[in-house]
Amino acid sequence: MSCDIGYVKVDLLKSLGLSDSQAIKTAIECAAATKAFIEFGEGTYTLSEQIRIDARHAGIRGIKGAGKGKTNIVFSWEQPESWDSESNRTDARTWCGLIVEDLPDILLEDFTIEYKGTFYWKGKTYHGSVMNIMMVDTTNGLVQRVESKGANRIGIFFTSHNGEVIALGEQFKQGKITLDQLRESTIKASGNRAIECVAHHNRVAGIAYAWQKDFQALDNYCHHNGHEANGGTGYGITALSGSLNFGLGSLIKGNKLERNYRKGLDSHDALDFIAEENNILDNRLHGFAYENRQYPVALVKFVRNAIHFDGNFVLERDENVPEGAQLDLNQDYYRENGIRVEIKQQAWQQWVTQVHPEIIIEDNTLEGMHKIDTIPRGAYYCIEYRNNDQEAKPNVKIRRNRMTGNGRMSTFLAAFAKAPVVKYGLGDFTVTDNVFECEYCDNVPFYVEENTNSANDHSVIIDDNVTRVTSKNTVTKATSFKAADKLFFRRNQLHLPADFGRPTSRFYVGNPAAQITFTDNDIYTQALINQVRGGWLDNNVSANTIIQRNRVLTINNL
């Protein structure tokens, strides 16, 4: 009687005197037998036990509700154990609210799910282990128009527990399969998507994924994830550390990621990471941050995204730092980056397979960065890039980005390859056709540093950029470069404030064979022309240095 063609109605089963959880379990069995959807009506459904859909229910098509805020699924049982943040492999499947496991083509749509158990333990950043929704070893699973809130870990989580992706990752790291073979491999946890979901006020992340091929998050709204007192978590969308995520079909696109308490968009491990046309608004520490910890990186593509910051939305003191104790301003909690990419974040991780990554950062906008001068703050960078990989030769393209409307900050571009074991320095590193603007720069607008041992075949190219510091510059240089092989700084415009009257560029060159080209740049300043022109470069430079056709123009020439 409750098994209508195509739908099994939970409300009809409840009318027979079944509890919410009993009605849902019965609906699952009936839907599996009839190859139907489970349909929830309007109202609140309080779970006394988990909703589980797995291989025993082959044939079931999924769950449909009456809409976000109309169908409300709530649960409140306490977790039996805390999360192991060292491995990120706690098996929390048995106590999440709703789990789908080992099934293809399941659809979850049009409902709200909320956890009402313990959300926060003071000083314990990763203690929570309750997920609202887990999609485990699903193929082409779709979570659509679902609201998920209150989880003490993750609102919507896509992952794998069958071990096949772990085995693939080990084969890849050991050089037993190639990058192409990995990308062509077939796994269960593939083709999953989150579309038009709202994930908010979850303790660690709104939407997260691990051990996935070709995962996609499209047009979701993730906001206020994390906790205001703690800087350790709070991601809009994230790829989990220690997991292998890959595939050229991977895509994070069209999402709105707003006022999360750590980062808007984040990846701790993804071989392939593609993000397009996201609105990343007023997140507390970083707009977008990428790093790889336990697996190589092949492709990071971050294009046509809009990043905005609220200069007053900051963490003044993390709850784990006692009042009166000195803050570590090098810690992320007190810094801010628009875009941050760090290759091989963990120096102790090694693998046989060597991938030469492609990093593309193009056509993005950034506004609103502003370092408050009344409280202690660390570095504020528009773009920060670090290569710590011993053998990788990245191909980095940073092009056509517009970073304007910023207040006080440290550096527009900070690029580092300082570790002595990094063979190729920054890699082939190109920064062209960007616009960088701020009112007040308390560091160096352009900063590049490579170790002296990285004098192998690679080039650092910084061409055709426009830089404006409009009111104050408290440092003595507009650029600071420590290059080991070939450096080109050409056709750039440097618009410098009235208090700037020192030599323009500083070069530290540990490799006497380094090739330095500093040509055709225009420097606009109110300072005396001879003060600037008399000291284009103020440190030791290579014999292979070309300095020509640079101009100093006063503000009146604009």
Side-chain angles (χ1 to χ4, degrees):
M1 184 175 173
S2 62
C3 300
D4 293 344
I5 295 175
Y7 293 93
V8 178
K9 299 180 184 295
V10 174
D11 285 358
L12 197 53
L13 290 164
K14 284 180 63 177
S15 72
L16 300 176
L18 299 179
S19 69
D20 288 353
S21 284
Q22 287 172 333
I24 293 167
K25 287 180 70 174
T26 304
I28 290 170
E29 299 295 335
C30 187
T34 58
K35 296 182 170 52
F37 284 102
I38 301 167
E39 184 180 75
F40 286 81
E42 293 191 26
T44 298
Y45 300 80
T46 302
L47 303 182
S48 59
E49 57 184 281
Q50 176 185 74
I51 300 175
R52 169 172 279 276
I53 302 172
D54 58 31
R56 298 169 300 170
H57 310 114
I60 194 170
R61 297 174 66 187
I63 294 175
K64 291 194 174 191
K68 297 191 297 287
K70 295 179 179 179
T71 297
N72 298 287
I73 300 170
V74 299
F75 67 108
S76 60
W77 53 78
E78 295 297 332
Q79 64 189 47
E81 62 182 270
S82 61
W83 190 261
D84 180 358
S85 60
E86 293 299 316
S87 69
N88 264 342
R89 294 187 184 180
T90 302
D91 189 350
R93 285 176 288 176
T94 58
W95 59 86
C96 68
L98 190 166
I99 182 169
V100 179
E101 186 165 14
D102 286 323
L103 287 173
D105 305 314
I106 296 295
L107 170 65
L108 307 178
E109 72 174 7
D110 293 321
F111 60 87
T112 291
I113 183 167
E114 180 178 8
Y115 179 62
K116 293 190 173 183
T118 304
F119 179 79
Y120 165 73
W121 293 262
K122 182 176 173 57
K124 295 181 178 181
T125 301
Y126 286 99
H127 192 76
S129 61
V130 176
M131 263 76 76
N132 282 348
I133 296 174
M134 290 186 71
M135 302 288 283
V136 183
D137 291 308
T138 55
T139 306
N140 299 324
L142 172 58
V143 182
Q144 181 169 262
R145 296 190 300 275
V146 168
E147 179 185 21
S148 182
K149 58 184 177 179
N152 66 29
R153 185 156 176 80
I154 296 165
I156 304 171
F157 185 36
F158 298 81
T159 189
S160 172
H161 275 270
N162 67 14
E164 63 177 348
V165 196
I166 295 174
L168 270 177
E170 289 306 308
Q171 289 179 317
F172 179 61
K173 286 200 294 187
Q174 294 166 16
K176 295 178 180 178
I177 60 173
T178 65
L179 174 61
D180 287 342
Q181 288 173 322
L182 174 65
R183 284 173 168 165
E184 291 167 4
S185 62
T186 301
I187 63 170
K188 268 193 172 182
S190 65
N192 294 301
R193 293 169 295 159
I195 299 178
E196 296 180 358
C197 294
V198 179
H200 62 99
H201 294 92
N202 300 288
R203 181 65 182 88
V204 173
I207 298 172
Y209 63 101
W211 310 107
Q212 298 288 302
K213 178 181 179 181
D214 292 334
F215 172 77
Q216 295 188 350
L218 310 174
D219 301 312
N220 302 286
Y221 182 29
C222 301
H223 64 93
H224 291 92
N225 294 290
H227 192 277
E228 62 183 6
N230 188 284
T233 64
Y235 306 96
I237 298 176
T238 184
L240 251 60
S241 173
S243 67
L244 177 63
N245 301 287
F246 65 98
L248 295 178
S250 306
L251 183 62
I252 312 296
K253 183 176 180 179
N255 302 283
K256 184 177 180 181
L257 310 172
E258 185 173 24
R259 295 187 89 81
N260 297 286
Y261 287 102
R262 184 165 170 82
K263 303 173 187 176
L265 180 59
D266 170 75
S267 173
H268 278 63
D269 259 312
L271 185 84
D272 299 304
F273 192 89
I274 302 168
E276 301 177 354
E277 299 171 11
N278 298 286
N279 285 308
I280 305 173
L281 307 175
D282 301 337
N283 297 281
R284 191 159 66 174
L285 306 182
H286 303 318
F288 166 59
Y290 175 93
E291 61 190 41
N292 63 311
R293 294 192 171 190
Q294 294 194 31
Y295 295 93
V297 52
L299 173 65
V300 177
K301 187 177 180 182
F302 186 77
V303 298
R304 299 187 302 279
N305 300 282
I307 302 173
H308 187 275
F309 284 98
D310 175 353
N312 294 311
F313 185 46
V314 298
L315 178 63
E316 294 193 28
R317 179 175 294 270
D318 183 77
E319 64 182 350
N320 290 307
V321 181
E323 202 64 43
Q326 177 124 10
L327 299 176
D328 178 4
L329 297 184
N330 289 319
Q331 194 173 26
D332 270 356
Y333 301 175
Y334 313 109
R335 303 174 63 204
E336 192 168 276
N337 284 337
I339 300 169
R340 186 178 194 268
V341 174
E342 183 165 11
I343 298 175
K344 197 176 184 185
Q345 195 269 346
Q346 304 285 5
W348 51 269
Q349 290 289 357
Q350 295 188 7
W351 37 75
V352 173
T353 298
Q354 186 53 61
V355 179
H356 299 300
E358 185 174 14
I359 313 296
I360 301 168
I361 301 171
E362 294 179 343
D363 300 304
N364 303 288
T365 62
L366 185 152
E367 297 180 339
M369 289 190 81
H370 179 60
K371 182 191 290 191
I372 301 172
D373 57 9
T374 56
I375 58 174
R377 308 307 296 161
Y380 276 42
Y381 299 144
C382 281
I383 300 175
E384 180 183 6
Y385 166 77
R386 294 177 183 266
N387 180 28
N388 301 316
D389 197 297
Q390 298 180 27
E391 298 291 332
K393 184 181 178 182
N395 183 10
V396 183
K397 299 181 180 71
I398 302 174
R399 302 186 294 200
R400 300 185 304 277
N401 301 285
R402 294 188 62 84
M403 302 192 170
T404 61
N406 299 298
R408 178 175 180 170
M409 56 184 304
S410 305
T411 298
F412 294 124
L413 172 70
F416 305 91
K418 299 195 295 183
V421 294
V422 176
K423 184 176 179 180
Y424 290 103
L426 299 174
D428 285 327
F429 184 77
T430 303
V431 181
T432 59
D433 298 298
N434 302 283
V435 176
F436 301 106
E437 294 181 355
C438 73
E439 293 181 11
Y440 181 169
C441 180
D442 63 16
N443 207 305
V444 184
F446 286 103
Y447 186 90
V448 170
E449 183 175 355
E450 295 185 310
N451 75 72
T452 58
N453 298 321
S454 61
N456 299 285
D457 185 26
H458 71 285
S459 300
V460 176
I461 298 171
I462 304 175
D463 289 349
D464 301 299
N465 302 285
V466 177
T467 298
R468 291 188 179 89
V469 182
T470 59
S471 69
K472 190 170 185 180
N473 196 103
T474 60
V475 295
T476 59
K477 305 291 171 284
T479 62
S480 182
F481 301 119
K482 181 178 181 180
D485 191 32
K486 294 182 285 291
L487 170 69
F488 300 90
F489 192 86
R490 301 171 298 195
R491 300 183 303 280
N492 298 286
Q493 292 184 31
L494 302 176
H495 297 260
L496 303 171
D499 67 336
F500 188 92
R502 277 90 50 185
T504 302
S505 296
R506 171 177 287 170
F507 287 77
Y508 301 86
V509 181
N511 171 27
Q515 301 175 38
I516 307 293
T517 301
F518 187 87
T519 61
D520 299 293
N521 300 289
D522 285 346
I523 294 89
Y524 295 86
T525 178
Q526 288 182 349
L528 293 174
I529 291 178
N530 289 337
Q531 278 186 281
V532 181
R533 185 181 292 138
W536 289 112
L537 312 171
D538 82 333
N539 210 290
N540 62 306
V541 293
S542 161
N544 301 315
T545 300
I546 300 172
I547 304 172
Q548 58 187 21
R549 297 187 303 277
N550 299 292
R551 300 188 303 170
V552 180
L553 305 169
T554 64
I555 298 297
N556 292 332
N557 295 127
L558 290 175

